[in-house]
Amino acid sequence: GKSGYEHYTLKEIHEQPRAVRQCLRGRPQPFEGSISIEELEDVPRPTEVQFAACGTSYHASLYAARLFRERGVRATAFLASEYDAAAVPIDEGTLVVGVTQSGETADTLRALRTANAVGARTLAVTNVVGSSAARETDRAMYVRAGPEIGVAATKTFTSQQVALAMLSSALTDDRSGEFVAALRALPDRIQSILDDSRAREIAAEYVGSDAYFFVGRGLAHPVALEGALKTKELTYEHAEGFAAGELKHGPLALVTPETPVIALVSGRANTERMLGTITEVRARGAPVVAVTDDPESVERRVDRVLRVPETHRRFFPILANVQLQLLAYWVANGLGRSIDKPRNLAKSVTVE
Ligand code: F6R
């Protein structure tokens, strides 16, 4: 049942501390500062990683590709429907990773099959044990978020990000006590957001806007895209995610006093450049909501603040996304939408 929540989606947002705990179980090694993934123990270290995924899982893949690149491994995220293994160079060091919650998404399975056909090594990162993606790849890493009933991916996205952050560390033999400690603290950090979030009251202020724009840079860019996707799905309203630096190359024409801009501002990186973007959109009259771990630096420069606790630089996007989920949920709730089963959408997309 919904355990007293009005929707499964809200229940699943609140289940995230537990989902992440399950995802982590046994994997971080606090004494070594390393990550051990049982399913992948003897997997050779890739020299290049290609991700293929759709929708929310694609956003998790963009985040993961960036983490690999930061650790010195070439990595690219492809939309599975656009992935053409025959046209993408593959060599013996390439690992093709299909990221799919359900393990049954037709576009992602097709991408994995073409990768298998050209002789690439393949890995599925999936939430469903024994799914097609798990069976048709060389190896599977399980996300262990538990079953998700809401059509919109929430706890499974958060857990995918955590799983992929661990994957990027394990496959690059990274060792960092700080990284491991911050990973293990994530369930409590997420819990504190769920306990104190002001997303509900902020959603009530901005419900009925013409559009919602999400901006982020670097590691937070994928989460800007995800915040917009979640808002589209749950609210049926116009929402877009942008790399903050791209606004001035066109999208700024859309910005008005009726289009709130939700800005992801991490004090550990990019605050100054994000403040530049914030100044640009405010000059066009747009209200700005900052999702930030550094409220002191932004408070006077924005209209509203959704704060997230401090964490390792690499995990800011994971925490910020929880606020974006709550914001999308409460806007949709205010509009009376069919939140658990949005119109036109299915949980598992088994056609190409
Ligand atoms: C968004 C959503 C979809 C899925 C996409 C891929 O909330 O649920 O965008 O992320 O259809 O599904 P999986 O991960 O099952 O391959």
Side-chain angles (χ1 to χ4, degrees):
K2 295 182 214 160
S3 332
Y5 290 102
E6 194 180 342
H7 297 98
Y8 282 107
T9 302
L10 188 61
K11 174 177 179 252
E12 287 160 357
I13 289 170
H14 280 268
E15 274 169 3
Q16 292 182 115
R18 195 167 65 125
V20 169
R21 238 173 243 123
Q22 287 169 180
C23 177
L24 292 172
R25 196 174 5 93
R27 289 166 170 173
Q29 307 300 313
F31 296 109
E32 288 84 18
S34 62
I35 304 292
S36 133
I37 302 168
E38 206 181 358
E39 302 97 298
L40 305 183
E41 229 129 63
D42 48 355
V43 163
R45 301 297 174 246
T47 55
E48 191 213 348
V49 182
Q50 297 175 359
F51 291 93
C54 305
T56 291
S57 295
Y58 172 66
H59 298 150
S61 300
L62 286 170
Y63 168 73
R66 193 158 184 123
L67 292 179
F68 273 95
R69 292 195 300 269
E70 285 187 358
R71 292 188 165 116
V73 174
R74 274 180 294 142
T76 314
F78 293 90
L79 289 164
S81 59
E82 295 285 331
Y83 182 76
D84 180 358
V88 179
I90 281 173
D91 61 38
E92 59 286 344
T94 306
L95 178 66
V96 178
V97 182
V99 180
T100 167
Q101 187 283 126
S102 63
E104 303 298 342
T105 299
D107 289 319
T108 308
L109 292 176
R110 190 199 54 84
L112 287 170
R113 284 171 193 148
T114 61
N116 282 331
V118 298
R121 290 190 291 124
T122 53
L123 165 68
V125 176
T126 181
N127 197 35
V128 179
V129 175
S131 57
S132 302
R135 284 184 280 108
E136 295 188 26
T137 44
D138 298 327
R139 293 299 177 89
M141 174 185 181
Y142 291 108
V143 170
R144 309 195 302 215
E148 187 172 67
I149 291 165
V151 164
T154 55
K155 68 173 179 175
T156 58
F157 175 64
T158 298
S159 306
Q160 276 175 340
Q161 289 173 297
V162 173
L164 291 167
M166 290 194 283
L167 184 74
S168 72
S169 176
L171 292 185
T172 58
D173 296 314
D174 185 64
R175 276 174 196 272
S176 160
E178 199 201 339
F179 180 80
V180 167
L183 254 181
R184 297 173 79 223
L186 278 175
D188 289 342
R189 301 286 179 271
I190 295 171
Q191 188 63 54
S192 80
I193 296 171
L194 296 170
D195 292 342
D196 303 334
S197 177
R198 296 179 55 217
R200 186 177 187 168
E201 57 183 275
I202 293 175
E205 284 180 60
Y206 296 117
V207 71
S209 297
D210 288 351
Y212 301 84
F213 299 132
F214 295 81
V215 294
R217 279 182 185 278
L219 270 181
H221 176 225
V223 157
L225 303 180
E226 174 62 10
L229 179 62
K230 213 77 340 179
T231 301
K232 285 175 194 158
E233 292 182 282
L234 297 183
T235 73
Y236 312 162
E237 297 294 314
H238 179 202
E240 298 285 343
F242 301 111
E246 273 297 294
L247 268 188
K248 58 184 175 298
H249 297 293
L252 206 47
L254 298 170
V255 172
T256 75
E258 310 308 320
T259 62
V261 174
I262 296 91
L264 302 164
V265 189
S266 173
R268 299 279 177 88
N270 297 329
T271 298
E272 275 316 305
R273 296 175 78 192
M274 282 303 300
L275 286 172
T277 301
I278 288 168
T279 307
E280 285 170 9
V281 300
R282 285 190 108 202
R284 277 79 186 174
V288 175
V289 180
V291 181
T292 185
D293 53 9
D294 183 20
E296 292 72 31
S297 307
V298 293
E299 228 146 43
R300 283 176 304 278
R301 314 279 291 274
V302 301
D303 298 272
R304 296 286 178 267
V305 170
L306 285 168
R307 59 182 308 167
V308 300
E310 284 199 14
T311 180
H312 190 287
R313 181 184 71 77
R314 292 195 164 109
F315 301 139
F316 169 75
I318 296 179
L319 298 184
N321 180 65
V322 174
Q323 292 285 21
L324 302 187
Q325 294 172 339
L326 289 166
L327 202 59
Y329 174 84
W330 286 112
V331 171
N333 190 296
L335 293 167
R337 301 304 191 218
S338 166
I339 293 177
D340 285 338
K341 223 186 161 316
R343 69 184 181 198
N344 308 337
L345 302 181
K347 184 72 185 159
S348 163
V349 184
T350 53
V351 291
E352 284 187 28

